[in-house]
Amino acid sequence: MTGRPVPAAPLSSLRVWLGPVAVLAALAVAVLGILYAGDSEPGTVDARIGAAVDGAQPPWRHAAVVTDFLGEPVGAAALVAATVTGCLLLRRPRAAVLTVAGTGMAVGATKLLKPLVGRTIHDGHLSYPSGHTAFLTALALVVALLATGRSGLGGAARASLVLAAAAIAGAAMGWAQVALGAHYPTDAVGGWCTALAVTPAAAWLVDRAADRPADRPPGRPDGWPGGADRTVCR
Protein backbone atom coordinates (compact mmCIF):
# COMPACT_ATOMS: atom_id res chain seq x y z
CA MET A 1 0.00 0.00 0.00
CA THR A 2 1.70 3.17 -1.20
CA GLY A 3 -1.18 5.56 -0.65
CA ARG A 4 -1.17 6.47 -4.31
CA PRO A 5 -4.49 6.91 -6.13
CA VAL A 6 -5.55 4.04 -8.34
CA PRO A 7 -4.60 4.77 -11.97
CA ALA A 8 -7.45 5.49 -14.31
CA ALA A 9 -8.41 2.95 -16.91
CA PRO A 10 -7.83 3.83 -20.58
CA LEU A 11 -9.86 6.90 -21.50
CA SER A 12 -11.56 5.09 -24.38
CA SER A 13 -13.06 2.25 -22.31
CA LEU A 14 -16.35 4.07 -21.63
CA ARG A 15 -16.30 6.68 -24.38
CA VAL A 16 -16.27 3.97 -27.01
CA TRP A 17 -19.84 3.24 -25.87
CA LEU A 18 -21.10 6.71 -24.99
CA GLY A 19 -19.57 8.37 -28.05
CA PRO A 20 -21.84 6.69 -30.62
CA VAL A 21 -24.83 7.20 -28.32
CA ALA A 22 -24.06 10.92 -28.15
CA VAL A 23 -23.80 11.14 -31.95
CA LEU A 24 -27.11 9.30 -32.46
CA ALA A 25 -28.77 11.48 -29.82
CA ALA A 26 -27.56 14.64 -31.55
CA LEU A 27 -28.97 13.37 -34.84
CA ALA A 28 -32.30 12.62 -33.16
CA VAL A 29 -32.44 16.15 -31.72
CA ALA A 30 -31.78 17.58 -35.19
CA VAL A 31 -34.33 15.35 -36.94
CA LEU A 32 -37.09 16.07 -34.44
CA GLY A 33 -36.24 19.76 -34.54
CA ILE A 34 -36.62 19.80 -38.32
CA LEU A 35 -39.86 17.80 -38.24
CA TYR A 36 -41.54 20.08 -35.70
CA ALA A 37 -39.96 23.41 -36.60
CA GLY A 38 -42.49 26.22 -36.33
CA ASP A 39 -45.33 23.93 -35.21
CA SER A 40 -47.84 24.97 -32.58
CA GLU A 41 -49.84 21.75 -32.47
CA PRO A 42 -49.04 18.22 -31.31
CA GLY A 43 -48.02 15.67 -33.90
CA THR A 44 -49.80 12.34 -34.34
CA VAL A 45 -47.57 10.56 -31.83
CA ASP A 46 -47.83 13.49 -29.41
CA ALA A 47 -51.62 13.45 -29.58
CA ARG A 48 -51.86 9.72 -28.85
CA ILE A 49 -49.43 9.77 -25.95
CA GLY A 50 -50.77 13.05 -24.61
CA ALA A 51 -54.33 11.73 -24.57
CA ALA A 52 -53.22 8.89 -22.31
CA VAL A 53 -50.98 10.92 -20.00
CA ASP A 54 -52.17 14.54 -19.95
CA GLY A 55 -54.43 15.64 -17.15
CA ALA A 56 -53.22 13.16 -14.52
CA GLN A 57 -55.30 13.07 -11.36
CA PRO A 58 -54.15 12.77 -7.73
CA PRO A 59 -51.99 11.12 -6.51
CA TRP A 60 -50.21 11.00 -9.87
CA ARG A 61 -50.59 14.71 -10.41
CA HIS A 62 -48.89 15.36 -7.08
CA ALA A 63 -46.01 13.13 -8.16
CA ALA A 64 -45.79 15.04 -11.45
CA VAL A 65 -45.70 18.39 -9.65
CA VAL A 66 -42.90 17.22 -7.35
CA THR A 67 -40.92 15.84 -10.28
CA ASP A 68 -41.42 19.05 -12.24
CA PHE A 69 -40.10 21.06 -9.27
CA LEU A 70 -36.77 19.24 -9.59
CA GLY A 71 -36.31 20.97 -12.93
CA GLU A 72 -37.35 24.41 -11.70
CA PRO A 73 -34.58 26.89 -10.76
CA VAL A 74 -34.86 26.33 -6.99
CA GLY A 75 -35.20 22.57 -7.19
CA ALA A 76 -32.47 22.23 -9.82
CA ALA A 77 -30.07 24.43 -7.82
CA ALA A 78 -30.68 22.32 -4.71
CA LEU A 79 -29.99 19.09 -6.61
CA VAL A 80 -26.82 20.47 -8.16
CA ALA A 81 -25.59 21.81 -4.82
CA ALA A 82 -26.24 18.47 -3.11
CA THR A 83 -24.48 16.55 -5.86
CA VAL A 84 -21.48 18.88 -5.89
CA THR A 85 -21.20 18.61 -2.11
CA GLY A 86 -21.30 14.82 -2.32
CA CYS A 87 -18.61 14.80 -5.01
CA LEU A 88 -16.32 17.00 -2.94
CA LEU A 89 -16.84 14.89 0.17
CA LEU A 90 -15.87 11.84 -1.88
CA ARG A 91 -12.80 13.71 -3.18
CA ARG A 92 -14.08 13.68 -6.75
CA PRO A 93 -13.55 17.29 -7.87
CA ARG A 94 -13.80 16.39 -11.55
CA ALA A 95 -17.26 14.96 -10.96
CA ALA A 96 -18.18 18.13 -9.06
CA VAL A 97 -17.08 20.24 -12.02
CA LEU A 98 -18.94 17.95 -14.42
CA THR A 99 -22.11 18.27 -12.36
CA VAL A 100 -22.15 22.00 -13.01
CA ALA A 101 -20.77 21.83 -16.56
CA GLY A 102 -22.90 18.90 -17.73
CA THR A 103 -26.23 20.16 -16.43
CA GLY A 104 -25.43 23.73 -17.43
CA MET A 105 -24.46 22.77 -20.97
CA ALA A 106 -27.53 20.55 -21.37
CA VAL A 107 -29.95 23.25 -20.23
CA GLY A 108 -28.04 25.90 -22.19
CA ALA A 109 -28.32 23.80 -25.34
CA THR A 110 -32.10 23.59 -24.98
CA LYS A 111 -32.33 27.35 -24.54
CA LEU A 112 -30.32 27.86 -27.73
CA LEU A 113 -32.37 25.32 -29.69
CA LYS A 114 -35.82 26.55 -28.68
CA PRO A 115 -35.81 29.80 -30.69
CA LEU A 116 -34.08 28.03 -33.60
CA VAL A 117 -36.78 25.35 -33.81
CA GLY A 118 -39.63 27.70 -32.94
CA ARG A 119 -42.07 25.05 -31.78
CA THR A 120 -44.65 26.45 -29.38
CA ILE A 121 -47.26 25.32 -26.88
CA HIS A 122 -49.85 27.22 -24.86
CA ASP A 123 -50.02 30.75 -26.22
CA GLY A 124 -46.65 30.80 -27.93
CA HIS A 125 -44.34 29.36 -25.26
CA LEU A 126 -41.28 27.78 -26.88
CA SER A 127 -41.31 24.07 -26.13
CA TYR A 128 -38.70 22.07 -28.06
CA PRO A 129 -36.60 20.60 -26.55
CA SER A 130 -37.63 20.25 -22.91
CA GLY A 131 -35.11 21.89 -20.60
CA HIS A 132 -36.52 20.14 -17.53
CA THR A 133 -36.00 16.73 -19.12
CA ALA A 134 -32.51 17.65 -20.31
CA PHE A 135 -31.51 18.80 -16.83
CA LEU A 136 -32.62 15.73 -14.90
CA THR A 137 -31.19 13.40 -17.55
CA ALA A 138 -27.84 15.17 -17.47
CA LEU A 139 -27.73 15.05 -13.67
CA ALA A 140 -28.57 11.34 -13.71
CA LEU A 141 -25.73 10.74 -16.17
CA VAL A 142 -23.25 12.54 -13.91
CA VAL A 143 -24.38 10.69 -10.78
CA ALA A 144 -24.26 7.36 -12.61
CA LEU A 145 -20.75 8.09 -13.91
CA LEU A 146 -19.67 8.83 -10.33
CA ALA A 147 -21.44 5.82 -8.82
CA THR A 148 -20.01 3.35 -11.33
CA GLY A 149 -16.56 4.94 -11.53
CA ARG A 150 -14.96 2.63 -8.96
CA SER A 151 -17.11 -0.41 -9.61
CA GLY A 152 -14.55 -2.31 -11.66
CA LEU A 153 -17.15 -2.99 -14.35
CA GLY A 154 -16.18 -3.15 -17.99
CA GLY A 155 -17.07 -0.40 -20.43
CA ALA A 156 -20.18 -2.14 -21.78
CA ALA A 157 -21.64 -2.94 -18.36
CA ARG A 158 -20.87 0.51 -16.99
CA ALA A 159 -22.30 2.23 -20.05
CA SER A 160 -25.47 0.14 -19.70
CA LEU A 161 -25.95 1.27 -16.10
CA VAL A 162 -25.24 4.90 -16.97
CA LEU A 163 -27.71 4.86 -19.85
CA ALA A 164 -30.31 3.05 -17.72
CA ALA A 165 -30.08 5.83 -15.12
CA ALA A 166 -30.48 8.43 -17.86
CA ALA A 167 -33.49 6.58 -19.28
CA ILE A 168 -35.23 6.40 -15.90
CA ALA A 169 -34.60 10.07 -15.11
CA GLY A 170 -35.62 11.20 -18.59
CA ALA A 171 -38.78 9.09 -18.56
CA ALA A 172 -39.79 10.38 -15.13
CA MET A 173 -39.34 14.05 -16.01
CA GLY A 174 -40.75 13.59 -19.51
CA TRP A 175 -43.86 11.97 -18.07
CA ALA A 176 -44.27 14.82 -15.58
CA GLN A 177 -43.98 17.45 -18.30
CA VAL A 178 -46.59 15.77 -20.48
CA ALA A 179 -48.88 14.98 -17.54
CA LEU A 180 -48.86 18.64 -16.53
CA GLY A 181 -49.39 19.77 -20.11
CA ALA A 182 -46.12 21.72 -20.14
CA HIS A 183 -44.59 19.91 -23.13
CA TYR A 184 -45.41 17.61 -26.00
CA PRO A 185 -43.99 14.07 -25.67
CA THR A 186 -41.54 14.71 -28.51
CA ASP A 187 -40.28 17.79 -26.63
CA ALA A 188 -39.36 15.47 -23.77
CA VAL A 189 -37.64 13.06 -26.15
CA GLY A 190 -35.71 15.99 -27.59
CA GLY A 191 -34.63 17.11 -24.12
CA TRP A 192 -33.53 13.60 -23.22
CA CYS A 193 -31.50 13.28 -26.41
CA THR A 194 -29.97 16.73 -25.86
CA ALA A 195 -28.59 15.60 -22.51
CA LEU A 196 -27.29 12.35 -24.02
CA ALA A 197 -25.50 14.34 -26.70
CA VAL A 198 -24.07 17.10 -24.52
CA THR A 199 -23.13 15.46 -21.21
CA PRO A 200 -20.53 12.99 -22.58
CA ALA A 201 -18.94 15.91 -24.44
CA ALA A 202 -18.87 17.89 -21.20
CA ALA A 203 -17.19 14.94 -19.44
CA TRP A 204 -14.57 14.76 -22.16
CA LEU A 205 -13.87 18.49 -21.84
CA VAL A 206 -13.55 18.24 -18.04
CA ASP A 207 -11.10 15.36 -18.36
CA ARG A 208 -9.09 17.20 -21.00
CA ALA A 209 -8.86 20.30 -18.83
CA ALA A 210 -7.84 18.30 -15.75
CA ASP A 211 -5.25 16.23 -17.61
CA ARG A 212 -3.33 19.14 -19.12
CA PRO A 213 0.26 18.79 -17.85
CA ALA A 214 0.64 22.57 -17.45
CA ASP A 215 -2.21 22.56 -14.93
CA ARG A 216 -0.78 19.86 -12.66
CA PRO A 217 0.61 21.16 -9.38
CA PRO A 218 3.98 19.61 -8.44
CA GLY A 219 3.52 16.16 -6.95
CA ARG A 220 -0.14 15.93 -7.98
CA PRO A 221 -1.32 13.15 -10.34
CA ASP A 222 -4.03 15.29 -11.90
CA GLY A 223 -4.93 18.86 -12.60
CA TRP A 224 -7.56 19.37 -9.90
CA PRO A 225 -6.97 20.19 -6.26
CA GLY A 226 -7.11 17.21 -3.94
CA GLY A 227 -5.07 14.74 -5.96
CA ALA A 228 -7.04 11.52 -5.53
CA ASP A 229 -9.40 11.87 -8.44
CA ARG A 230 -10.03 9.91 -11.61
CA THR A 231 -11.44 10.57 -15.01
CA VAL A 232 -15.20 11.02 -15.04
CA CYS A 233 -15.72 9.49 -18.47
CA ARG A 234 -13.19 6.76 -19.01
Side-chain angles (χ1 to χ4, degrees), residues 67-71 130 132-133 136 168-178:
T67 304
D68 174 74
F69 174 75
L70 299 179
S130 166
H132 281 60
T133 307
L136 199 62
I168 293 170
M173 184 59 81
W175 165 78
Q177 296 307 295
V178 176

Side-chain angles (χ1 to χ4, degrees), residues 5 30 49 51 72 74 95 154 171 175 220-221 233:
I49 297 176
E72 292 293 318
V74 174
W175 165 78
R220 294 297 191 184
C233 187

Side-chain angles (χ1 to χ4, degrees), residues 20-162:
V21 170
V23 172
L24 290 174
L27 289 174
V29 171
V31 170
L32 288 173
I34 292 170
L35 287 175
Y36 295 106
D39 282 358
S40 59
E41 298 292 336
T44 302
V45 174
D46 292 320
R48 290 179 179 177
I49 297 176
V53 177
D54 193 8
Q57 300 300 314
W60 293 109
R61 183 171 180 82
H62 299 324
V65 170
V66 171
T67 304
D68 174 74
F69 174 75
L70 299 179
E72 292 293 318
V74 174
L79 282 178
V80 169
T83 305
V84 168
T85 300
C87 292
L88 295 178
L89 289 175
L90 292 171
R91 297 186 67 200
R92 298 297 301 274
R94 294 193 197 196
V97 174
L98 178 59
T99 300
V100 178
T103 56
M105 287 175 61
V107 173
T110 65
K111 291 188 178 298
L112 289 174
L113 287 169
K114 282 181 178 179
L116 292 176
V117 176
R119 191 184 198 190
T120 59
I121 190 172
H122 302 323
D123 300 323
H125 294 286
L126 295 172
S127 65
Y128 180 90
S130 166
H132 281 60
T133 307
F135 166 76
L136 199 62
T137 302
L139 185 66
L141 282 168
V142 174
V143 172
L145 285 170
L146 173 63
T148 62
R150 298 178 183 270
S151 63
L153 295 173
R158 189 181 173 202
S160 297
L161 290 175
V162 169

